[in-house]
Amino acid sequence: MKTDDLIAALAADLPSRPTPVNRAVAQALMISVPIAVLIHFTLIHVRPDIATVAGDPRFIFKFLFTLSVLGAGMWIALRLSRPAINAGPARIAVGLAAALLAVGVVVELLILPRGTWMPTLVGTNAAACLVLIPVLSTAPLAALLVAFRSGAPESPALAGAAAGLAASAVGATLYATHCIDDSPLFVGVWYVLAMAAVTAIGSLVGSRVLRW
Amino acid sequence: MAERENEWAALMIAGMAGDAAAYREVLQALTIYLRMDVRRGFARYGRGTADVEDVVQETLLAIHLKRETWRPAEPIGPWIRAIARNKLIDSMRRGGRRINVPIDDVIDVLPAQEQTEHLNERDAEHILSKLNGRQRDIVQSISINGASIKDTAAKFEMTEGAVRVALHRGLAALSKAYRDEDL
């Protein structure tokens, strides 16, 4: 096939408007977040004392952290999904979300007596955290990876990791309404481990399905 | 340089708004640029020019299929170059695998170097042959035979809508065939 022939075919295909990646991602979230919420209420429940802890700084901090990861993760994923786009500011945003957690951990260490550090870190149900955050992240991860196929990431593995990070933040935000361990020490270990696992899966799958 | 890219951007905007003539014009202009760019890339990695046109076509396909990842407010040059670089690297990887064949296996083929011209043609047909029957017929009718959507629909007794869908899927499949190819 000559290149001119190909161009004729491409021009004939002009009316097929590909979905812009932002719109595909918005649709993916609108479909997958309700599914994740449904799975959340099927498997677990919101902690019974949520009304009493709603004003607790540690409880609020969990959401500050997971929602800032969600925002930064979505932002960097969208930046990485298009060619020749500077993702620098979005990288800084991801760094700031991590720094926020680090500050929370340091403040917690300053407040808590040394003897309570370990029991606080171990918490009451680390295993549930490690299992349920990935489970709750599955639907958003799958939907986001499909949506990002509308994009053209220069690095499919990196874009997949960013999608994984954003999806893990959805899972972590939902799990945080159930989990009674509110200390930044617990979040800094178990939430982070679970979210890292989802990010790694996103990278692995992304490196295959986000090629273009 | 900037002027040329402004022109590409203006044509691309018109094309994306539905102006097929402008779209054709920008793709033709890009073809000339990409040929030079890919040839330079091949030279840098010490590769012959045999597969240049393949990479150009692959890049044009990607530009077309991924055109929504460019926004008129952004400069078009870096976007084009990023897509071309991606396709060049893909091609180098495939080339790399090809080079790993033990010399004993290819020693008989070496004297046949003058045939590389024909290889290009054969590869292009080989790529089309990876499409399923109806998609191949339709892509071939509109590209190689230069038929319109309407004539193609009449010829294959399909609706124009069905031809459009098959053409689009065929082009996406063509892009995938290039990507997965182990020549």
Side-chain angles (χ1 to χ4, degrees):
Chain A
M1 179 166 43
K2 291 203 199 72
T3 301
D4 272 348
D5 297 336
L6 176 69
I7 289 172
L10 298 182
D13 187 46
L14 199 50
S16 73
R17 295 292 303 266
T19 314
V21 64
N22 285 23
R23 196 187 309 156
V25 165
Q27 287 165 350
L29 289 177
M30 280 191 291
I31 293 167
S32 66
V33 171
I35 293 176
V37 170
L38 202 69
I39 294 174
H40 176 260
F41 283 107
T42 310
L43 297 178
I44 51 182
H45 50 78
V46 169
R47 58 192 286 183
D49 61 348
I50 190 143
T52 31
V53 294
D56 179 72
R58 289 190 177 86
F59 182 75
I60 292 168
F61 179 80
K62 282 202 298 190
F63 293 95
L64 273 182
F65 170 64
T66 60
L67 291 174
S68 64
V69 174
L70 179 59
M74 283 310 307
W75 189 22
I76 195 168
L78 285 169
R79 299 298 287 177
L80 290 174
S81 71
R82 298 191 296 129
I85 298 293
N86 175 20
R91 280 177 213 273
I92 292 171
V94 173
L96 285 177
L100 177 73
L101 178 63
V103 169
V105 168
V106 169
V107 170
E108 181 77 330
L109 290 176
L110 291 175
I111 294 171
L112 289 184
R114 191 174 286 261
T116 61
W117 286 0
M118 261 333 259
T120 309
L121 184 154
V122 171
T124 54
N125 208 343
C129 174
L130 287 180
V131 172
L132 287 167
I133 287 180
V135 166
L136 295 171
S137 306
T138 306
L141 178 60
L144 283 176
L145 285 172
V146 170
F148 279 117
R149 284 172 59 89
S150 299
E154 289 185 62
S155 166
L158 210 57
L165 184 66
S168 80
V170 174
T173 303
L174 289 174
Y175 183 70
T177 66
H178 165 81
C179 163
I180 55 166
D181 295 298
D182 294 333
S183 168
L185 300 186
F186 186 89
V187 173
V189 175
W190 307 110
Y191 277 57
V192 166
L193 272 178
M195 292 165 84
V198 177
T199 304
I201 293 168
S203 175
L204 208 69
V205 178
S207 70
R208 287 158 197 268
V209 303
L210 297 183
R211 292 181 61 223
W212 48 279
Chain B
M1 182 75 122
E3 200 179 313
R4 180 180 64 185
E5 291 184 7
N6 287 341
E7 203 178 308
W8 291 349
L11 288 169
M12 193 72 180
I13 290 166
M16 284 167 70
D19 181 345
Y23 195 56
R24 212 181 275 248
E25 196 180 333
V26 69
L27 292 181
Q28 272 154 358
L30 288 176
T31 300
I32 295 166
Y33 170 78
L34 289 170
R35 246 178 227 141
M36 288 190 319
D37 188 60
V38 174
R39 208 168 280 163
R40 217 175 299 136
F42 271 35
R44 199 169 339 133
Y45 294 97
R47 241 177 105 181
T49 54
D51 299 333
V52 167
E53 208 60 19
D54 270 0
V55 178
V56 169
Q57 292 193 6
E58 234 187 307
T59 307
L60 289 171
L61 263 170
I63 285 169
H64 173 70
L65 294 171
K66 298 299 183 183
R67 62 193 182 279
E68 289 290 343
T69 65
W70 174 68
R71 293 190 194 149
E74 292 159 359
I76 197 168
W79 178 76
I80 298 281
R81 281 185 283 279
I83 291 177
R85 187 169 57 239
N86 180 292
K87 292 300 168 188
L88 184 70
I89 290 168
D90 269 7
S91 160
M92 289 302 163
R93 287 203 185 117
R94 291 199 300 265
R97 278 206 295 277
R98 231 176 306 173
I99 287 162
N100 286 336
V101 176
I103 191 73
D104 287 345
D105 294 355
V106 289
I107 202 94
D108 295 337
V109 197
L110 284 178
Q113 262 175 353
E114 67 275 13
Q115 286 177 8
T116 42
E117 286 291 306
H118 303 290
L119 265 178
N120 249 345
E121 278 170 39
R122 205 191 58 201
D123 283 354
E125 278 167 30
H126 168 74
I127 280 290
L128 273 184
S129 76
K130 292 210 172 185
L131 300 182
N132 72 37
R134 191 31 66 93
Q135 279 177 3
R136 184 176 61 230
D137 292 342
I138 284 163
V139 172
Q140 189 165 335
S141 165
I142 291 167
S143 61
I144 297 175
N145 305 344
S148 66
I149 298 260
K150 201 174 162 197
D151 295 343
T152 305
K155 184 175 160 196
F156 295 109
E157 296 178 334
M158 294 166 72
T159 65
E160 289 182 31
V163 169
R164 285 183 196 284
V165 169
L167 172 66
H168 182 70
R169 292 204 179 136
L171 292 172
L174 207 57
S175 177
K176 187 176 186 307
Y178 266 123
R179 197 161 64 232
D180 298 343
E181 185 182 37
D182 272 310
L183 285 175

